[in-house]
């Protein structure tokens, strides 16, 4: 496991990140140029080595309800990669793991049990409420963001 100082050194090697000291000697790093409301790339890096990186739009990492992945046991290479991917995801430079050519559909559900379905059609991401088109988006990330803002969560795949 990398030490707090080693992780700090790695994170500070990204000039586009701004350090923000927070309580209990923890440190956050923001990406001020984010094309999204999210600015936190590194969240609550703690002297004990624990910390989180925002990975919700990347797709290949397990993340919590805040979109954060724990980086406690990441190697230097893994940490550099996840930070770069996080920054890129906030600038819109990458798509999530969903491969467009393989995408069939996803079902999303809200707390009232209403469902919406995301499909990829004609190079656009469409959201349907039954047979009615609810919205069309140029990227999966934008469709996903819309659904989350409306209180929907991706239904578990069978």
């Amino acid at each position: 496991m990398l030490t707090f100082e080693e992780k700090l050194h790695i994170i500070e090697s990204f000039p586009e990140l701004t350090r923000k000291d927070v309580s209990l000697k923890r440190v956050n790093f923001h990406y001020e140029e984010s094309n999204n409301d999210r600015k936190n790339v590194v969240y609550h890096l703690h002297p004990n080595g624990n910390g989180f990186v925002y990975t919700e739009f990347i797709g290949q990492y397990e993340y919590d309800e805040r979109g954060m992945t724990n980086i406690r046991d990441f190697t230097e290479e893994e940490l550099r990669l996840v930070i770069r991917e996080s920054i890129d995801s906030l600038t819109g430079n990458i798509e999530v793991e969903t491969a467009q050519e393989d995408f069939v559909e996803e079902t999303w559900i809200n707390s009232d049990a209403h469902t919406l379905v995301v499909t990829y059609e004609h190079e656009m991401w469409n959201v349907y409420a039954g047979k009615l088109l609810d919205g069309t988006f140029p990227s999966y990330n934008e469709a996903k963001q819309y659904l989350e803002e409306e209180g929907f969560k991706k239904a578990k795949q069978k």
Side-chain angles (χ1 to χ4, degrees):
M1 179 175 82
L2 297 169
T3 66
F4 174 72
E5 290 76 21
E6 290 169 328
K7 287 179 182 171
L8 263 182
H9 180 73
I10 292 165
I11 297 164
E12 288 173 339
S13 73
F14 291 87
E16 58 268 56
L17 298 180
T18 305
R19 180 180 173 147
K20 306 280 184 182
D21 292 330
V22 292
S23 63
L24 304 173
K25 299 182 182 178
R26 294 176 298 188
V27 182
N28 291 346
F29 285 86
H30 293 189
Y31 178 56
E32 302 298 340
E33 302 299 316
S34 176
N35 288 335
N36 178 304
D37 288 341
R38 291 276 185 179
K39 301 225 183 286
N40 251 345
V41 170
V42 178
Y43 178 72
H44 284 180
L45 181 63
H46 192 277
N48 70 7
N50 204 23
F52 302 88
V53 170
Y54 185 70
T55 60
E56 184 173 11
F57 294 149
I58 299 170
Q60 64 190 18
Y61 300 94
E62 287 187 35
Y63 55 84
D64 63 17
E65 66 281 351
R66 300 164 303 175
M68 298 287 181
T69 296
N70 190 299
I71 58 167
R72 180 179 191 88
D73 297 322
F74 276 39
T75 66
E76 178 178 352
E77 295 78 23
E78 291 169 331
L79 183 57
R80 286 186 188 284
L81 178 63
V82 73
I83 291 170
R84 173 52 48 214
E85 289 174 331
S86 180
I87 292 168
D88 288 348
S89 77
L90 293 174
T91 60
N93 289 341
I94 65 168
E95 285 292 325
V96 291
E97 69 183 27
T98 306
Q100 296 171 354
E101 60 277 358
D102 297 333
F103 191 88
V104 178
E105 68 179 34
E106 281 180 352
T107 301
W108 291 66
I109 189 164
N110 71 5
S111 60
D112 295 327
H114 295 120
T115 60
L116 295 177
V117 174
V118 178
T119 63
Y120 183 70
E121 303 169 313
H122 309 291
E123 299 182 14
M124 297 296 283
W125 296 92
N126 293 321
V127 176
Y128 289 95
K131 293 185 184 237
L132 299 175
L133 180 63
D134 187 63
T136 298
F137 304 89
S139 74
Y140 176 84
N141 284 345
E142 290 176 76
K144 178 181 173 187
Q145 185 175 0
Y146 165 75
L147 289 162
E148 289 172 343
E149 287 172 358
E150 295 297 320
F152 285 81
K153 295 183 188 268
K154 192 178 343 181
K156 301 280 186 221
Q157 301 298 317
K158 294 178 182 178

